[in-house]
Amino acid sequence: MNKNYYAVIMAGGVGSRFWPISTQQFPKQFHDMLGTGNTLIQQTFNRFKNLIPSENILIATNKKYENLVKEQLPEVTSKQLLLEPAMRNTAPCILYSALKIYNKNPDGIMVIAPSDHSISDEKEFLKNIQTSFDFCDKNNVLMTLGIKPTSPNTGYGYIQYNHSKNSIKKVINFTEKPNLQKATQFIEGGNYLWNAGIFVWNVKSIIAAFKIHLPTMYTLFSKGADSYNTSLEASFIKENYTFAENISIDFGILEKASDVHVLPVEFGWNDLGTWGSLYNKLDKDKQQNATIGGNVIYKEAKNNIVRTQSGKRVVIQGLNNFIVVEKDDVLLICPKSKEQEIKEITKDVKTKFGDEFV
C-alpha cells in the first residue's frame, strides 16, 4: 500500500433525524443501521483499509465519543484520533487533519469522507478514490466526488461541471439544496451531480487554499505546527479549537477556490441522512414494508419502515407510509412525509422528558 495515502473519517455528527436510535450520547455512526453486523463507522473504516494503510486512517470526532471509537475500532491508536472539544463544522476539522498529516508526511494525499454513508459497490468506490489520488498526486487541485443523480432530489447539494471529454471535470458552481423546480432543471441540464461530501487532495494544496481563503483559521491552527503528532497536540487543540470559525469546507474553501475538480461516480451511494433514505436501502416484502430487528406481521399495510429490538413481536394493521421506531422506552410513530420534522421533534422531547432521551 502507498504510505502517502491517508483517509480522514468524519464521525462527529449527532444524526438527529434518526432519533430515537441516534442520540447525542450514541449517534447513528456507532449503530448497525443496516443490520449487517457492523456499525456504519466500522464499515467505513474497513472499506478504506483495502486501499490505505490502517495506521493512516484518522478519525475526526467529538471528544465525548472517544471511548465509542476505541470500542468499535480497537486497532485505532490514540495518535489516529482527532478529538474536537467543540462542534465547529467541517472546515476546522479538515485543516487540523491536513496540518497533522503534513507534519508527518508533506507528500501526503488525503481523502475525507463521512462515517455514516452507505456504499453498495465498494470495488467501484475504491477505484474512484484511486483515480482521484492519482490525479491529486500530479496536480495541485482540490477534488470532490459527485454522484450521478437518479432523480431531482431536493435533499442534496449540487455540483455543476463543465462539459468535457475528460473523466475528471472542472467545477463551475456549487448549489445548496434547491427547490424541486431548480432540482428538475439541474437534472435536465445534464451536467449536475449530487454533492456527496467526499473530498480528495494533497495536503499542500488544501493548506495553501486555507492560507488564501480562511487565513485567520490557518493562522490559528498553524500556531500548533510543532505540537502535532506529539504529546502537546491534545492540549493545543483543547486550548485553541473553540476559537475556530464555525464554517463548512464547502462555504469556506470550495465555493471560493478556482481550481476545483469533480469526478462523476456511481457506486450505489446513500447518505443515510433520514429514515426514508435508510428505507430505500433495505430489503422489502411484497407490500414494500421494510423491517429491522422485529418479527412483524403486516395487515393491510404498505410502504412502512419498522425498527424495534431484536425479535420483538409487532403487528401493523392499516398503516401506510409510516416510520415506526422503538428504542428502550421510547416509541416514534411518524409519517414518512414528515421525516424532516423529526429533528424538530427532539426539541419537544427534550423539553418534556429531559436531555437523556435525545
Side-chain angles (χ1 to χ4, degrees), residues 34-238:
L34 293 164
T36 64
N38 285 310
T39 65
L40 294 177
I41 193 171
Q42 288 171 334
Q43 290 183 50
T44 304
F45 186 87
N46 292 336
R47 187 181 302 130
F48 278 125
K49 275 201 311 184
N50 293 309
L51 179 63
I52 296 166
S54 59
E55 65 270 20
N56 286 3
I57 303 175
L58 309 181
I59 313 296
T61 190
N62 192 282
K63 172 68 177 173
K64 64 184 177 182
Y65 303 140
E66 178 180 6
N67 290 335
L68 279 172
V69 173
K70 289 180 174 179
E71 288 170 13
Q72 297 198 2
L73 302 175
E75 63 189 285
V76 169
T77 68
S78 295
K79 293 179 180 179
Q80 294 169 253
L81 299 183
L82 289 80
L83 301 175
E84 304 161 287
M87 296 184 73
R88 286 294 183 271
N89 218 310
T90 53
C93 144
I94 289 171
L95 177 57
Y96 171 23
S97 60
L99 289 168
K100 181 177 171 69
I101 293 168
Y102 180 83
N103 174 278
K104 187 176 181 181
N105 181 0
D107 296 320
I109 305 169
M110 59 192 292
V111 53
I112 299 99
S115 60
D116 52 3
H117 289 185
S118 169
I119 291 170
S120 301
D121 191 342
E122 297 200 349
K123 282 188 177 181
E124 182 66 15
F125 171 76
L126 294 177
K127 178 183 172 184
N128 295 147
I129 297 298
Q130 183 67 67
T131 298
S132 303
F133 276 162
D134 292 341
F135 191 72
C136 291
D137 188 32
K138 298 173 183 175
N139 301 277
N140 291 319
V141 299
L142 307 179
M143 269 197 70
T144 182
L145 273 57
I147 309 298
K148 294 180 181 178
T150 56
S151 65
N153 195 307
T154 59
Y156 304 137
Y158 283 74
I159 304 167
Q160 182 186 17
Y161 62 88
N162 68 346
H163 289 288
S164 74
K165 294 181 180 179
N166 298 327
S167 59
I168 296 173
K169 318 288 188 182
K170 185 80 180 291
V171 171
I172 298 173
N173 190 38
F174 288 87
T175 303
E176 288 302 302
K177 298 173 183 178
N179 59 34
L180 183 58
Q181 182 181 0
K182 273 284 185 188
T184 302
Q185 290 174 3
F186 290 167
I187 300 299
E188 292 172 350
N191 63 328
Y192 282 84
L193 304 163
W194 289 337
N195 187 350
I198 302 172
F199 312 108
V200 182
W201 38 61
N202 66 60
V203 291
K204 293 175 182 176
S205 294
I206 189 61
I207 292 171
F210 271 95
K211 282 184 184 179
I212 296 169
H213 301 295
L214 290 174
T216 302
M217 189 180 296
Y218 169 77
T219 300
L220 174 68
F221 281 93
S222 62
K223 287 191 303 182
D226 294 334
S227 68
Y228 295 124
N229 303 307
T230 75
S231 59
L232 301 175
E233 180 179 330
S235 60
F236 171 79
I237 291 300
K238 182 179 179 181

